[in-house]
Amino acid sequence: MAENNTAINSVAVIGAGTMGRGIAYLLALNGIRTLLYNRSAHSLNQARDYIVGDLNKKIDNGKISQQKKGEILANLVFSPVFDAIADSDLVIETIAEHEPTKHEILGAIAATVKKEAIIATNTSSLSLNKLAAGIENNSRFIGLHFFNPAPLMKLIEIIPSYFTARVTTLRCQQLVTAIGKQFVVCKATPGFIVNRMARPFYLEGFRLLEENVALAPQIDRALKAGGHFRMGPLELTDFIGQDINYQVSSQIWQDMQYDPRYTPGHLQRSLVDAGLLGKKNGRSFFSPSADTAPPPAAGGGTLSSLHFFGEHPLFDLLQQHALATWAPLPITRQPEHPVLGRFIQVNDSLAVKITDGRTANQLADLAGLDTFVIDVALNYANTAFLVAAHSQQATETNKALFLTLLQAVIPQVEFVKDSPGLIVARVLSSLINESVIMVESGVCSREDIDIAAVAGVNYADGIFAWLAQLGQKNVKSTLDNMAQLLHSARYYPHYSLLHTTRPELAVAP
């Protein structure tokens, strides 16, 4: 084999903060000789105490033996002497995200280590190419982006610069595999894969709140129930720290030449200005006990007929429950409507449609009926909560009838503002569109996107699995309609998504 795939056996980590100690600990846990450097002996002692404390917890929990603890600690050296890094195969800097300081420390590393040693940065926001330009022999320079806490997180992003040699990338891939982690490789783009791919999750959460579409608990709950996210965007930013999340969004927005897709929300900026940072300082704008809107009561309506236009798993569920509950009940199945697409007509008096980005009021004008739009759910059969909206003139009788039908399948349905894409469909479509743009721009592969989604940000499935499940036509229609109703540039679908073949399915300008 022409390329030298020499294994990395010794690593030096520069900086003993949260990330530095976590990376050093991860490497030592996996048998890599690791030196943790910090010029402050106090910081080194804190790092050592943290690692020893965690190892003691593992012993108490029966996860490791006392002997294993000794072996792990034997892999670690804590040193305030910079020259101690000289014989390392790999040096990873983890200092603060301050470009001049990083240039200085990377230059010092390059001047100290052996010529074949790899030099890596753990930066999450600074330009890899700009950092690389200042390093002698920069073919050995690369980005290795670990996530916090490093020992627990499954993913490491590998980011070659313009100058990085292929053998450097291959050796880093080999190391990541050896320590039991997954890797993705991406171009040196703002936010790399994870932070850029996931940006719409946070941004759309705040936009929904700013537009008064729903209350914060409804936004979070809808995305957890319908989108299978482990946390909603608003509670997650509180957990991360509003200042940290806002800074990352702002940096990506700036680095992407102020593309409106990445514009941070003014509400999040105001939270940072007010010091309402969330868990990190115990001050949150989102009260954990905040009440949602009182749930509307079902009942009062009688189902006399159901007409299904088009096919959808939810339609099958509703038909099964309707037959079991209201038999005998006239039910028909027909092709999709040429204008409304897939929808349900109930009692010849109201229409029910899964959102395609159009509002209930728009659809009511087309249907000539009171119209109800429901949000997307990845699996309606096990969804306990769903948001919906109704046209402005909908009668109380039809609202009760709608709830009677939907709550036969979904225990809790709450009305929110009649808005394009509602909550889950809006967020999922935005995440899909951003991922498609990244792949089509050559930033990374589809496989890397899906690995990053599952291993990097704990999504229940990959982004392109969502695209396959929702369907390209449906995602594009949702984006088309949101682009026309909300923001033409922000939601405009990438051209590689299927073109909508029936122009009447899109909202007229």
Side-chain angles (χ1 to χ4, degrees):
M1 186 172 180
E3 290 166 325
N4 179 13
N5 251 342
T6 305
I8 294 169
N9 297 308
S10 62
V11 179
V13 179
I14 308 297
T18 301
M19 285 307 306
R21 75 186 183 191
I23 294 169
Y25 186 22
L26 166 64
L27 294 166
L29 281 168
N30 288 278
I32 306 293
R33 297 196 309 274
T34 306
L35 181 141
L36 181 60
Y37 164 81
N38 198 290
R39 62 185 178 185
S40 165
H42 177 67
S43 295
L44 289 172
N45 288 335
Q46 285 183 318
R48 181 189 289 109
D49 291 345
Y50 167 80
I51 292 170
V52 170
D54 193 72
L55 289 171
N56 287 337
K57 289 179 186 177
K58 285 180 167 55
I59 291 174
D60 293 341
N61 294 331
K63 295 180 178 179
I64 64 170
S65 65
Q66 190 71 38
Q67 179 182 347
K68 183 63 175 177
K69 171 189 171 182
E71 292 172 358
I72 294 167
L73 289 176
N75 291 326
L76 277 167
V77 174
F78 301 85
S79 177
V81 179
F82 189 77
D83 286 348
I85 72 171
D87 292 328
S88 302
D89 296 329
L90 165 68
V91 180
I92 306 170
E93 71 79 13
T94 69
I95 64 173
E97 295 285 88
H98 181 246
E99 188 176 300
T101 307
K102 280 198 186 286
H103 276 297
E104 181 180 349
I105 195 69
L106 289 169
I109 293 169
T112 304
V113 297
K114 53 194 177 184
K115 64 180 182 179
E116 66 271 20
I118 296 173
I119 302 171
T121 177
N122 187 55
T123 186
S124 60
S125 61
L126 298 179
S127 167
L128 259 293
N129 292 315
K130 194 171 182 180
L131 292 175
I135 296 176
E136 184 181 356
N137 186 18
N138 52 19
S139 64
R140 58 182 173 162
F141 177 71
I142 199 166
L144 288 179
H145 185 213
F146 295 75
F147 296 87
N148 186 38
L152 298 181
M153 297 300 286
K154 301 173 183 176
L155 186 74
I156 298 171
E157 292 180 312
I158 299 176
I159 311 100
S161 75
Y162 288 141
F163 312 99
T164 304
R166 185 167 183 266
V167 65
T168 301
T169 303
L170 291 173
R171 292 181 70 195
C172 289
Q173 291 174 348
Q174 184 181 23
L175 173 68
V176 172
T177 301
I179 62 176
K181 301 295 181 181
Q182 290 180 276
F183 66 80
V184 290
V185 180
C186 71
K187 286 184 178 178
T189 185
F192 309 142
I193 297 179
V194 169
N195 277 325
R196 180 175 165 185
M197 173 202 71
R199 209 48 28 201
F201 183 65
Y202 309 112
L203 296 177
E204 294 304 322
F206 274 100
R207 287 168 186 156
L208 286 161
L209 200 58
E210 290 168 1
E211 295 166 19
N212 197 33
V213 171
L215 301 173
Q218 290 175 309
I219 295 168
D220 285 337
R221 189 178 178 193
L223 285 160
K224 288 187 287 186
H228 298 171
F229 293 97
R230 288 170 173 80
M231 296 179 74
L234 303 174
E235 60 183 338
L236 182 53
T237 54
D238 246 18
F239 180 80
I240 294 168
Q242 298 296 345
D243 54 340
I244 295 171
N245 187 264
Y246 180 79
Q247 188 276 328
V248 174
S249 293
S250 298
Q251 186 68 53
I252 292 174
W253 180 46
Q254 175 182 317
D255 292 345
M256 295 299 289
Q257 303 299 305
Y258 303 102
D259 186 319
R261 290 204 313 276
Y262 310 103
T263 306
H266 60 80
L267 174 57
Q268 190 176 31
R269 171 60 187 270
S270 72
L271 299 185
V272 175
D273 290 344
L276 299 172
L277 306 183
K279 183 178 179 181
K280 68 187 294 181
N281 69 348
R283 301 183 64 204
S284 174
F285 176 75
F286 309 109
S287 170
S289 60
D291 294 327
T292 61
T302 302
L303 282 162
S304 59
S305 66
L306 286 174
H307 307 285
F308 295 93
F309 292 82
E311 300 295 327
H312 192 278
L314 176 61
F315 294 1
D316 299 333
L317 281 173
L318 289 172
Q319 178 172 326
Q320 292 168 14
H321 281 270
L323 287 172
T325 307
W326 297 290
L329 181 69
I331 294 176
T332 64
R333 302 296 292 248
Q334 302 179 46
E336 284 190 25
H337 191 276
V339 174
L340 297 177
R342 296 180 299 190
F343 82 104
I344 309 167
Q345 186 172 316
V346 184
N347 287 9
D348 299 325
S349 63
L350 66 99
V352 179
K353 181 166 177 61
I354 300 169
T355 181
D356 65 357
R358 291 179 285 182
T359 65
N361 282 321
Q362 287 177 302
L363 293 164
D365 289 341
L366 296 170
L369 301 168
D370 286 353
T371 301
F372 295 77
V373 172
I374 61 176
D375 206 355
V376 160
L378 293 174
N379 186 348
Y380 288 97
N382 66 4
T383 298
F385 176 78
L386 193 73
V387 299
H390 56 76
S391 52
Q392 190 172 1
Q393 303 301 325
T395 66
E396 293 303 316
T397 298
N398 280 339
K399 291 177 190 176
L401 191 58
F402 165 79
L403 292 172
T404 296
L405 175 65
L406 263 292
Q407 289 179 346
V409 175
I410 297 162
Q412 189 170 1
V413 179
E414 291 185 2
F415 289 126
V416 297
K417 181 179 177 180
D418 182 24
S419 61
L422 299 180
I423 296 173
V424 179
R426 177 169 169 172
V427 171
L428 291 183
S429 296
S430 298
L431 285 165
I432 289 168
N433 201 36
E434 184 60 31
S435 296
V436 168
I437 290 168
M438 290 174 68
V439 170
E440 293 295 323
S441 301
V443 170
C444 58
S445 68
R446 291 168 64 112
E447 292 74 20
D448 284 334
I449 287 281
D450 282 346
I451 291 170
V454 175
V457 281
N458 268 330
Y459 292 168
D461 212 337
I463 304 288
F464 287 94
W466 291 340
L467 177 58
Q469 181 176 348
L470 298 177
Q472 289 195 34
K473 184 181 77 170
N474 297 320
V475 170
K476 184 175 185 298
S477 295
T478 301
L479 290 166
D480 273 332
N481 290 318
M482 291 198 303
Q484 295 182 54
L485 294 168
L486 290 170
H487 194 295
S488 58
R490 182 172 292 152
Y491 300 105
Y492 196 81
H494 191 268
Y495 63 82
S496 66
L497 290 169
L498 285 175
H499 180 67
T500 302
T501 55
R502 298 202 303 271
E504 65 269 26
L505 287 182
V507 177

